Amino acid sequence: MKKSYDVILVGAGMVGALTANLLAQQGFSVALVDKGNGQCQLSEFPYYDSRVSAVSRHSKALIEQSGAWQLMDAERLTPYHDMNVWDGLGTGEIAFSCDDVHLDELGHLVENQVLNQALLTQLESHNKLVDCFFASSVSHYEKQDEVMLVSLEGGPRLTGQLVVAADGANSLIRAQAQIETKEWDYQHNAIVATIELNKSHENTAWQSFGEEGILAILPMPNFEGRHFASIVWSVPPNEAEALLLLSPEMFCQRLNYAISNEFEVLSLISKPISIPLRQRHALQYAQSGVALIGDAAHTIHPLAGQGANLGFADAGALVDVLSKAKERGESLSNDRVLRRYQRARMSDNIRMSASMEFFKRLYETQNPLAVFARNKGMGWMNNQRLVKNHIISLALG
Ligand SMILES: Cc1cc2nc3c(=O)[nH]c(=O)nc-3n(C[C@H](O)[C@H](O)[C@H](O)COP(=O)(O)OP(=O)(O)OC[C@H]3O[C@@H](n4cnc5c(N)ncnc54)[C@H](O)[C@@H]3O)c2cc1C
């Protein structure tokens, strides 16, 4: 007889793979579908994956709960203890430290491929509950009575109670469910790359806002006495295009100018890539047997490194709501059940999106009066322990 799943989960990126693990831990049967082959590309030291994520303590706890955190090579994880933010157009500076909140670290920098691989490996321990359909694209889904039917291109048709879309920013499931989004272009591209520095990053994440754009220098593991970092450099699209045309030496020169002498960039370790940034927010996270999580539900500016963290929190909240529904004997696709998930997550996600928009606009202006006020504000805030601790607690998730 044809198998029917509790959940058909589309997308085995970081958010989908975490969700599959958490669902299986709660005893749900899952069909996990991804168009990729389920293999991550782990680069050799020090050629780190240029896509890295600052993983908050709350996200770390969820990943630990799934069992995947323990599978990652500790040498590839970089805890960061401090975060220094400065205004490249003035003297404003704010320093956040884990000591202020009596914690061992503010979070960890993790290569996306390393984390995704650990989450997929951990799924093998749930092979009685999770069936993986890799190298399979969803072509469409439909609802027949209370059953969700998902068709794979040239493959089988899956049946289940609920479809969870973790299929990223351009979610096909979201489009087919006709869930509208509010979205606009940030008029920024993020350039990401791995660089070598002349001295240790001291496990500090550095962020500068200035005329050269928004630049984050994120600590990566040191290796054989050499010091590495990952950059996320957000600039207008035409500037991104021009930066990518520079020779590696000229690129480093521009980077050194943007860093304004905090470090010297010795060399580019990876070829820079440019990612267009767009804000998106689904107007609903759930509808008729479909729930959206991660980038399928929202994308935000990476300036505070929170996008995946919001997705991991979606995963935790959805699994929690579904587990309680199961205990009560409610159907997983019941609208009331899915609305509980939406209520649990939407306001937090909107608040974070709005904050990113605020900071992006605040630091975009080069009007001298606004720059003066901004720098004064940063100086004031740097001395306000309570305000800073509140910001840290938001960033910790
Ligand atoms: C420059 C940059 C820096 C960032 N830094 C941080 C950071 O420091 N911290 C942080 O928390 N976040 C950060 N983010 C955000 C973070 O990268 C994303 O939020 C996160 O990767 C989204 O994961 P996801 O699993 O939701 O989606 P995705 O990673 O996009 O995964 C979607 C998956 O769905 C699959 N798929 C898509 N369509 C189909 C289909 N039709 N059929 C089958 N499979 C399908 C894809 O193959 C893919 O595996 C950053 C983002 C950018 C751009």
Side-chain angles (χ1 to χ4, degrees):
M1 205 175 76
K2 209 165 154 204
K3 185 168 175 182
S4 179
Y5 296 92
D6 292 322
V7 176
I8 302 172
L9 180 45
V10 185
M14 295 189 291
V15 173
L18 174 66
T19 311
N21 276 293
L22 297 177
L23 282 168
Q25 277 183 334
Q26 296 302 317
F28 290 106
S29 60
V30 180
L32 178 63
V33 184
D34 199 289
K35 58 186 177 189
N37 63 6
Q39 298 296 319
C40 299
Q41 304 295 324
L42 302 195
S43 32
E44 291 298 317
F45 276 131
Y47 298 99
Y48 305 106
D49 177 13
S50 328
R51 298 292 310 268
V52 305
S53 295
V55 173
S56 71
R57 287 175 62 89
H58 181 257
S59 300
K60 180 190 173 205
L62 278 173
I63 300 163
E64 267 175 348
Q65 184 189 322
S66 79
W69 190 269
Q70 299 79 329
L71 298 182
M72 288 191 285
D73 178 355
E75 289 191 1
R76 291 195 90 130
L77 309 176
T78 317
Y80 61 100
H81 307 135
D82 298 277
M83 197 170 146
N84 288 350
V85 182
W86 75 95
D87 190 329
L89 288 176
T91 53
E93 200 172 337
I94 308 181
F96 300 97
S97 168
C98 60
D99 295 338
D100 294 342
V101 281
H102 312 291
L103 293 171
D104 294 337
E105 76 271 321
L106 293 175
H108 284 80
L109 264 308
V110 185
E111 294 158 81
N112 290 6
Q113 294 282 308
V114 170
L115 176 51
N116 213 350
Q117 181 69 69
L119 288 161
L120 293 173
T121 304
Q122 178 59 11
L123 272 181
E124 290 165 13
S125 63
H126 300 296
N127 58 9
K128 290 208 169 67
L129 283 166
V130 182
D131 289 336
C132 293
F133 296 84
F134 289 137
S136 305
S137 281
V138 168
S139 56
H140 81 280
Y141 83 89
E142 60 194 279
K143 188 174 184 189
Q144 269 181 19
D145 302 323
E146 286 310 299
V147 180
M148 305 303 294
L149 302 168
V150 173
S151 302
L152 307 185
E153 270 168 23
R157 197 154 76 146
L158 306 172
T159 55
Q161 279 193 58
L162 174 68
V163 174
V164 174
D167 52 347
N170 299 310
S171 169
L172 176 113
I173 302 290
R174 184 186 69 218
Q176 290 197 355
Q178 297 186 330
I179 296 179
E180 283 180 40
T181 53
K182 185 159 191 216
E183 55 182 89
W184 61 88
D185 215 291
Y186 278 122
Q187 287 302 314
H188 261 177
N189 279 32
I191 294 183
V192 296
T194 309
I195 55 170
E196 181 167 359
L197 300 171
N198 65 328
K199 60 178 185 178
S200 171
H201 44 60
E202 293 166 354
N203 290 75
T204 299
W206 308 80
Q207 175 108 305
S208 121
F209 294 87
E211 56 185 350
E212 290 290 310
I214 303 174
L215 173 62
I217 302 160
L218 306 168
M220 297 305 289
N222 294 327
F223 184 66
E224 294 180 342
R226 294 164 66 190
H227 309 290
F228 299 97
S230 186
I231 56 162
V232 181
W233 192 0
S234 305
V235 292
N238 56 338
E239 286 178 34
E241 213 174 295
L243 282 170
L244 290 192
L245 291 175
L246 295 177
S247 66
E249 295 72 29
M250 289 299 290
F251 185 92
C252 289
Q253 237 179 57
R254 281 288 299 275
L255 198 50
N256 274 317
Y257 178 68
I259 290 175
S260 51
N261 298 330
E262 284 292 338
F263 299 99
E264 190 191 336
V265 178
L266 298 180
S267 60
L268 259 176
I269 298 292
S270 70
K271 197 169 158 35
I273 52 174
S274 168
I275 305 165
L277 300 176
R278 197 166 170 79
Q279 134 85 39
R280 290 183 192 82
H281 199 269
L283 301 187
Q284 286 165 272
Y285 288 1
Q287 178 176 282
S288 310
V290 171
L292 310 181
I293 57 174
D295 276 17
H298 42 72
T299 57
I300 59 171
H301 198 291
L303 68 88
Q306 289 297 330
N309 288 310
L310 296 183
F312 296 144
D314 293 347
L318 180 66
V319 175
D320 197 39
V321 164
L322 296 180
S323 304
K324 289 187 177 130
K326 186 169 149 188
E327 273 167 30
R328 292 183 186 134
E330 292 170 306
S331 155
L332 302 186
S333 58
N334 182 314
D335 283 346
R336 265 206 326 268
V337 171
L338 296 180
R339 272 201 300 273
R340 280 178 215 141
Y341 157 64
Q342 174 166 309
R343 271 200 303 277
R345 290 300 306 146
M346 196 178 250
S347 53
D348 273 3
N349 291 339
I350 289 178
R351 236 192 325 267
M352 189 60 82
S353 307
S355 313
M356 293 312 101
E357 186 61 23
F358 170 77
F359 281 113
K360 192 212 162 229
R361 287 190 192 191
L362 179 68
Y363 285 96
E364 213 162 42
T365 177
Q366 298 194 3
N367 172 309
L369 257 182
V371 171
F372 175 76
R374 190 172 77 197
N375 276 275
K376 280 274 174 225
M378 281 176 93
W380 173 83
M381 198 190 283
N382 199 30
N383 295 316
Q384 307 302 311
R385 182 168 272 234
L386 282 179
V387 180
K388 282 201 323 186
N389 288 358
H390 181 63
I391 294 175
I392 294 176
S393 68
L394 289 178
L396 295 177

